Amino acid sequence: MNFYDRLQAETRDDREALYKVQFMQRGAAGELSLREYIAFLSQAYHHVKHTVPLLMACGGRLPADYEWLRAAVAEYIEEELGHQEWILNDIRACGGDSEGVRHSAPAPATELMVAYAYDKINRVNPIGFFGMVQVLEGTSIAVADQAADAIQATLALPSKAFSYLKSHGALDVSHVEFFKDLMNRIDKPEDQAEIIRSAKMFYRLYGNIFRELGNIAPLANAA
């Protein structure tokens, strides 16, 4: 079994637990209110704005024998530049306060996931960051397009309110193929183990963002 397939197999239970989070299931079914959708976009902004800085930190800390992976990180950076602004545009198209979101603090679960990513890179092993890539890009392929279509149909919002979800659902298909090829070049057992361990943790941390949204958003709707 190649490493990418092993990564998929050993994180299957963690991935399925994420997809069972109620807020995510409601999103895929188009059951979110406008405020809930904006709340989701707000937290997406707060972690997506760190994607490029995290990639830069990861690339800068990779050892010399991973020069080929550093080149791939540079490609990721070029692809990911400015995506947080797409999210703010979506919020604006929904009638939300995009500048308020820009200057707001992240929810605790979002802040913890981002902090874990930086800690993984700076303290543990930069290769572990690819566990986060596994989670976020794989999840986009699985649910982004379906959720965007369902939420748009329910809320009757314009297509310009879904640039983040719709672009990532399509874009990340090619990204995952790229990621798959990269993972299959990693042959050090200790680095493979670190990516698997990190992916398991990121599935839990990313799921916590949706669990927290499920607790907060109903209160916002009632306010």
Side-chain angles (χ1 to χ4, degrees):
M1 180 182 292
N2 61 43
F3 176 56
Y4 178 79
D5 289 342
R6 181 180 156 218
L7 173 61
Q8 295 299 104
E10 294 195 21
T11 60
R12 182 175 293 111
D13 290 346
D14 309 272
R15 186 163 51 254
E16 290 178 356
L18 169 63
Y19 296 158
K20 289 177 182 177
V21 175
Q22 187 179 41
F23 190 94
M24 182 173 282
Q25 291 188 331
R26 290 180 57 233
E31 296 174 357
L32 299 184
S33 69
L34 178 60
R35 288 192 180 187
E36 286 174 319
Y37 178 52
I38 292 174
F40 157 74
L41 290 173
S42 299
Q43 295 314 306
Y45 169 78
H46 281 300
H47 69 77
V48 169
K49 71 179 182 181
H50 288 280
T51 302
V52 169
L54 284 165
L55 284 164
M56 295 172 75
C58 175
R61 293 186 67 86
L62 288 171
D65 56 343
Y66 275 124
E67 191 63 34
W68 60 270
L69 188 54
R70 197 186 335 270
V73 168
E75 290 188 47
Y76 270 117
I77 290 170
E78 186 174 0
E79 288 278 354
E80 295 295 330
L81 280 168
H83 287 195
Q84 72 274 14
E85 295 299 323
W86 297 0
I87 299 173
L88 294 180
N89 290 339
D90 288 351
I91 292 171
R92 197 174 301 116
C94 291
D97 181 5
S98 59
E99 288 307 303
V101 170
R102 186 194 298 276
H103 298 292
S104 67
T110 308
E111 186 164 11
L112 285 172
M113 184 180 77
V114 171
Y116 180 80
Y118 280 110
D119 185 65
K120 177 66 65 174
I121 291 167
N122 292 319
R123 183 181 62 86
V124 183
N125 183 346
I127 205 76
F129 175 71
F130 290 92
M132 187 179 194
V133 178
Q134 152 79 4
V135 172
L136 296 185
E137 294 198 346
T139 303
S140 291
I141 284 181
V143 301
D145 280 335
Q146 176 185 347
D149 290 341
I151 295 168
Q152 184 174 15
T154 299
L155 300 179
L157 290 168
S159 294
K160 64 181 180 179
F162 296 92
S163 60
Y164 169 66
L165 278 180
K166 290 190 174 183
S167 64
H168 278 69
L171 180 64
D172 286 345
V173 173
S174 60
H175 277 192
V176 167
E177 287 302 312
F178 184 53
F179 175 73
K180 179 178 180 178
D181 291 340
L182 295 179
M183 292 301 96
N184 285 337
R185 291 184 64 180
I186 293 174
D187 55 9
K188 295 181 181 179
E190 65 273 21
D191 287 342
Q192 292 180 345
E194 184 58 51
I195 293 170
I196 291 171
R197 179 174 179 273
S198 295
K200 286 176 170 290
M201 182 63 78
F202 278 112
Y203 275 119
R204 177 177 298 184
L205 292 170
Y206 193 44
N208 286 346
I209 294 176
F210 292 97
R211 293 181 186 98
E212 197 166 74
L213 282 167
N215 292 331
I216 295 171
L219 298 177
N221 290 337

